[in-house]
Amino acid sequence: MRFRRGMPVLAALLLTAVLCACTGGSEPEAPAQPARTVTLIVADDAAPRTRFGAERLERALAEVGYEVSHAGGLDAAPPGRRIVIGDARSDAAIAGLLPAAGADEAEPLGEEEFLIANAADGAIVVAGGDASGALYGSLELAGRTRAAGELPGTIDLREAPDFRLRGPSIGMQKLELLPGREIYDYPYTPELFPFFYDKEHWRKYLDMLVENRMNTLYLWNGHPFASLVKLEKYPYAVEVSDEVFAQNVEMFDYITEEADRRGIWVIQMFYNIYVSKPFAEHHGIGMIHAEPDPLTSDYNRLSIAKFVEQYPNVGLLVCLGEALIGQENQQEWLNEVVIPGVKLGLERLGKSPGGTPANDHEPPIVIRAHSVEDPHALIQGALPLYENLYTMAKYNGESLTTHEPRGKWVDIHNALAETGGTHVANVHILANLEPFRYGATEFIRKSMLAIRDVDLAAGLHLYPLSFWDWPVSPDKTDPLLEQMERDWIWYEAWARYAWDADRDPAADREYWIGRLSAKYGSEEAAGHIYDAYNAAGEVAPRLLRWFGITEGNRQTLSLGMTLDQLVDPYAYTTYPELWESHAPPGERLDTYLAREHEGEPHEGETPPEVIAEVEAFAADAVAAIEAAAPHVADDAAEFERLANDIRAIRAMAEFYGDKVRAAMAVLQYGYSEDAADMQAALAHLEASVGHFRELEALTRDTYRYANSLQTSHRKIPFRGADDEGRGRDYHWSQVLPYYEDELDEFRERVAALEPAASGAAAAGGH
């Protein structure tokens, strides 16, 4: 595959409701019906992804009773029904048919665009603006054929994607740190990542992506090179055995080849500055470095070069922030290590960046804005050296807090979008949604509109709901559930709106009711399930944006918060300015109580309004899921898991509701010095513990953990690992005793209060 400037690269089909058309049993004496026949016409030299689409279309035709024959051109096709499939740029036969199929010659098909129409002789033309477009057109026709039980008599359809890059990530990372290693540092081995070596897993996953018209796949790892390439200069840097290394090369080649057939671009992410553990031990240095030096620069430059040489169709996602500190150091690393490494790899392949179309091969490098002081300036400083740079930034933090981005995040996205290359919004970590199912399609649709129209991004990079434990979900089941199946609606919704964000809400609701009806066997149940998903999906975003300590990765929202964390959140974060960047206009608790005390008017969302809304959404979600229950006909076990999630989200909402009211009463006592306020706080605190007991009971036997990152980086509500790095306090059952102790201590303090006690004395534990 040849890369070029601005190439969006690859794609996949929006998952259509697959309804198998079954013919009723005919009377034994009825004459046999003549077979339905159709000829697929695909050029002999068609691209692999064009042929992949044709194969999927043939499968759909066979499922509904067609006999399929093949031809390499129109002249060779027998009489009868015909489908001509191809890339309008390279297939002369397709290009010649387009005017007869009603295509406007003034508007040629673009990248990934497709047209399906009838030619003058009745043949169906499936034309793509490129091979990916031909793939998507074939898959679209396959879905319509399955749904109707036959080919359409007449069809006139033309579609193109809103977003140029659309795809999820997989973390080649684990829940806990490995002994003797740093964060993100996990070699590619069968023991750590058995799924990586499972070809059936990859076929199923890549099929899911192509069915959802996703065209990118990101693999995240701290330092993947030592598992995937060998360097002549540093042979000791490899950190896997020869046998595992051979397996890794075979699997990486297999994954990327299968992905390419489905129009999917694989992108390997890495952090900086890392070196492999054996390399560090050989030289007596650390594994992570904050600034470049000749040794680590040379090693990484050669590692990147070898990677490009060995896997020329794989992209690179570069995280310059975190360990690598300072704009000057980051610019040096990009300009003098990463880009020269890519160029060296191309030289070894006999190719050069830029140049004539015949040898144009400039692999896109995706630059992540995370922990970079001025990412726009960084890109501008690199463009003279390498043009094909993509950019990426988090959508609104490491969580999902609002579909109305503002402040810092919007400024970052807009600045990067102005660089001229494709800018990608990264829906990242989702720590506030863990571990429950999320299918609020309306929230997702509005988010995609904002990513496109407010952030000005042209790409979506989507995290799974449980990043650190791929491919299994957090549910406590035997066998464990796979995330791609449990969270099907998560992937499908983001992909649906990445393809077309401008969908009519009423028609969109009907689409989702159809999808849910196909899964649960009842249209009546499906309508209620749709409502439950969308109501429940408002709870976590609203809670975190007003009461959370961080925008996500340091906090597990579903495990609650202590009273002190609610009363004085500033003592627990070094980034209070981020709060203004992921919430609409409104007031946090301290501001609200101060204005109440001064009799000043309030602005925007206020804490009492937020908790009332959250509790109402949660109650509506439970009512909807309970209304659905009597009508569910299929997949009852998964429905009950979903219903339990909805009940758990309500218990979490009620816990926060009463705990926020307790915090407001404590803050009010600071102004009033009236012991009645502390009595009110105690009553709400008691109620909150009761709700958390309910939450613990709902999750005790249904979930293995609340958060998939179980390291000391998780700090709210409690530290996520002990001094030896073992995960702790990651389940509601482990956390409940802390809240019970907190209640006992608060009860003692309130009992000891004198009516005229000072607010400072009463709040001393906060």
Side-chain angles (χ1 to χ4, degrees):
M1 154 181 162
R2 181 171 60 83
F3 286 106
R4 61 186 177 79
R5 169 77 172 146
M7 182 178 182
V9 220
L10 336 170
L13 168 65
L14 169 65
L15 189 57
T16 308
V18 178
L19 303 175
C20 181
C22 302
T23 57
S26 58
E27 295 297 327
E29 63 275 12
Q33 297 298 311
R36 296 188 295 182
T37 62
V38 64
T39 301
L40 293 185
I41 302 171
V42 183
D44 294 335
D45 60 350
R49 68 191 65 167
T50 300
R51 291 197 166 277
F52 182 88
E55 291 166 6
R56 292 305 170 97
L57 176 56
E58 180 177 356
R59 183 183 301 179
L61 291 166
E63 288 175 8
V64 299
Y66 283 90
E67 291 183 3
V68 182
S69 60
H70 303 87
L74 281 168
D75 295 341
R81 201 78 195 271
R82 298 177 296 175
I83 304 173
V84 189
I85 305 168
D87 175 350
R89 296 179 312 175
S90 60
D91 189 325
I94 284 287
L97 286 171
L98 288 180
D104 186 348
E105 294 184 35
E107 296 184 21
L109 295 172
E111 292 176 332
E112 299 188 301
E113 189 172 8
F114 67 82
L115 176 146
I116 309 174
N118 297 100
D121 65 353
I124 295 178
V125 179
V126 180
D130 53 16
S132 290
L135 163 66
Y136 299 146
S138 293
L139 294 174
E140 175 70 23
L141 184 57
R144 289 173 177 248
T145 299
R146 283 195 181 95
E150 62 181 356
L151 281 167
T154 59
I155 186 168
D156 184 10
L157 177 68
R158 182 169 179 171
E159 289 188 11
D162 267 359
F163 287 77
R164 299 177 67 195
L165 297 182
R166 311 170 300 278
S169 64
I170 287 178
M172 299 294 289
Q173 300 171 19
K174 306 299 289 184
L175 284 77
E176 297 181 342
L177 300 183
L178 294 181
R181 290 185 176 270
E182 302 287 351
I183 188 170
Y184 312 130
D185 183 44
Y186 302 93
Y188 290 14
T189 67
E191 293 76 23
L192 289 175
F193 304 109
F195 75 87
F196 184 75
Y197 306 87
D198 184 347
K199 292 184 178 180
E200 180 57 32
H201 168 82
W202 285 110
R203 280 192 291 269
K204 185 164 63 172
Y205 181 67
L206 294 172
D207 281 348
M208 183 271 287
L209 299 189
V210 75
E211 287 162 1
N212 283 285
R213 296 185 187 178
M214 290 187 177
N215 66 0
T216 45
L217 169 60
Y218 303 84
L219 302 178
W220 283 59
N221 186 266
H223 187 71
F225 305 115
S227 295
L228 296 171
V229 298
K230 291 183 177 180
L231 305 179
E232 292 183 9
K233 187 173 182 179
Y234 304 111
Y236 46 82
V238 178
E239 55 185 352
V240 297
S241 68
D242 289 345
E243 179 184 2
V244 170
F245 181 83
Q247 288 180 274
N248 290 349
V249 172
E250 177 195 356
M251 286 306 306
F252 214 74
D253 284 340
Y254 173 82
I255 294 164
T256 55
E257 180 179 337
E258 288 298 308
D260 187 65
R261 286 207 306 139
R262 293 163 174 82
I264 299 165
W265 175 34
V266 176
I267 303 169
Q268 178 64 66
M269 181 270 183
F270 62 101
Y271 286 90
N272 296 280
I273 300 172
Y274 273 63
V275 298
S276 73
K277 190 171 189 291
F279 183 93
E281 291 171 345
H282 181 90
H283 291 280
I285 61 176
M287 295 173 61
I288 300 181
H289 300 263
E291 58 185 24
D293 64 70
L295 178 63
T296 59
S297 296
D298 187 58
Y299 165 66
N300 274 276
R301 187 184 303 110
L302 292 177
S303 295
I304 292 168
K306 187 64 177 180
F307 185 86
V308 170
E309 178 186 4
Q310 190 159 336
Y311 310 104
N313 295 331
V314 179
L316 292 172
L317 169 57
V318 182
C319 180
L320 293 168
E322 292 208 1
L324 183 56
I325 297 174
Q327 183 89 8
E328 185 176 341
N329 286 332
Q330 293 163 349
Q331 191 79 66
E332 176 185 339
W333 192 256
L334 177 60
N335 289 6
E336 300 181 19
V337 176
V338 176
I339 291 175
V342 172
K343 288 184 174 182
L344 178 58
L346 293 176
E347 289 173 9
R348 292 174 177 174
L349 286 168
K351 302 174 180 179
S352 62
T356 66
N359 68 1
D360 183 10
H361 186 100
E362 193 172 274
I365 303 172
V366 186
I367 309 298
R368 187 179 178 220
H370 177 61
S371 293
V372 175
E373 179 182 340
D374 188 346
H376 182 264
L378 184 86
I379 300 301
Q380 293 299 318
L383 281 172
L385 302 175
Y386 199 86
E387 289 189 357
N388 204 10
L389 297 179
Y390 288 49
T391 57
M392 177 182 292
K394 298 173 186 174
Y395 172 43
N396 56 13
E398 297 185 329
S399 53
L400 193 65
T401 56
T402 179
H403 50 70
E404 301 170 357
R406 56 184 40 80
K408 168 194 169 183
W409 297 115
V410 174
D411 294 341
I412 291 173
H413 288 292
N414 289 176
L416 291 175
E418 291 172 1
T419 61
T422 298
H423 177 59
V424 181
N426 177 8
V427 177
H428 192 78
I429 292 293
L430 295 316
N432 64 326
L433 306 185
E434 286 187 306
F436 306 121
R437 290 156 177 79
Y438 192 90
T441 59
E442 272 298 281
F443 197 105
I444 294 170
R445 182 181 67 84
K446 293 174 182 176
S447 296
M448 288 304 300
L449 285 169
I451 288 171
R452 186 193 67 187
D453 300 335
V454 179
D455 290 341
L456 308 180
L460 168 71
H461 175 195
L462 179 67
Y463 261 52
L465 286 171
S466 185
F467 178 70
W468 305 88
D469 202 14
W470 186 266
V472 295
S473 81
D475 301 79
K476 188 185 290 185
T477 59
D478 186 17
L480 295 176
L481 303 177
E482 291 197 356
Q483 290 188 51
M484 74 176 91
E485 296 177 355
R486 187 197 89 148
D487 298 323
W488 66 273
I489 195 170
W490 170 259
Y491 290 103
E492 184 171 333
W494 288 101
R496 176 171 171 81
Y497 305 120
W499 182 266
D500 180 5
D502 294 306
R503 297 182 186 272
D504 174 67
D508 203 44
R509 174 186 172 88
E510 292 306 308
Y511 169 84
W512 288 113
I513 288 175
R515 292 290 293 119
L516 292 164
S517 178
K519 181 171 180 61
Y520 293 108
S522 163
E523 185 174 345
E524 187 168 358
H528 293 303
I529 294 169
Y530 173 85
D531 291 337
Y533 265 131
N534 280 287
E538 294 285 346
V539 172
R542 290 168 188 257
L543 286 174
L544 187 69
R545 72 192 189 210
W546 286 118
F547 307 119
I549 298 297
T550 77
E551 82 281 8
N553 198 25
R554 302 297 187 262
Q555 175 168 4
T556 305
L557 184 76
S558 68
L559 288 179
M561 292 171 65
T562 67
L563 188 58
D564 193 52
Q565 289 164 353
L566 287 167
V567 170
D568 186 15
Y570 304 95
Y572 294 87
T573 182
T574 56
Y575 305 108
E577 70 278 3
L578 293 179
W579 291 330
E580 299 175 1
S581 297
H582 65 230
E587 300 170 358
R588 293 181 70 85
L589 279 169
D590 57 340
T591 303
Y592 174 78
L593 267 299
R595 288 178 175 171
E596 278 285 287
H597 177 69
E598 297 297 329
E600 298 176 353
H602 296 289
E603 298 178 2
E605 295 183 350
T606 66
E609 292 171 348
V610 171
I611 58 177
E613 290 170 354
V614 161
E615 289 170 336
F617 277 121
D620 289 346
V622 169
I625 208 70
E626 289 179 349
H631 308 287
V632 171
D634 297 333
D635 208 350
E638 174 59 17
F639 173 80
E640 181 49 40
R641 287 189 287 265
L642 171 61
N644 194 73
D645 278 4
I646 300 295
R647 298 183 194 106
I649 290 169
R650 179 181 62 179
M652 178 183 73
E654 292 173 337
F655 163 84
Y656 273 101
D658 271 303
K659 200 140 194 182
V660 167
R661 293 182 182 99
M664 286 194 294
V666 170
L667 288 167
Q668 174 62 26
Y669 177 76
Y671 294 108
S672 71
E673 298 185 357
D674 185 345
D677 288 326
M678 293 298 280
Q679 291 287 351
L682 176 59
H684 286 301
L685 193 61
E686 288 173 338
S688 76
V689 173
H691 296 311
F692 200 87
R693 290 193 183 108
E694 180 186 0
L695 179 57
E696 187 277 332
L698 289 166
T699 55
R700 184 187 310 149
D701 299 320
T702 56
Y703 276 101
R704 296 180 291 130
Y705 54 76
N707 51 280
S708 61
L709 176 61
Q710 294 164 19
T711 73
S712 59
H713 288 74
R714 286 288 172 107
K715 302 180 185 299
I716 309 297
F718 306 105
R719 188 167 178 245
D722 60 23
D723 292 337
E724 283 72 43
R726 294 184 297 265
R728 73 175 192 188
D729 298 336
Y730 52 76
H731 198 280
W732 302 264
S733 300
Q734 298 166 329
V735 169
L736 175 58
Y738 296 137
Y739 293 134
E740 292 175 331
D741 290 345
E742 178 186 51
L743 175 60
D744 290 341
E745 292 173 7
F746 193 82
R747 186 180 289 119
E748 291 174 4
R749 291 182 181 181
V750 172
L753 270 180
E754 303 257 346
S758 71
H766 307 125

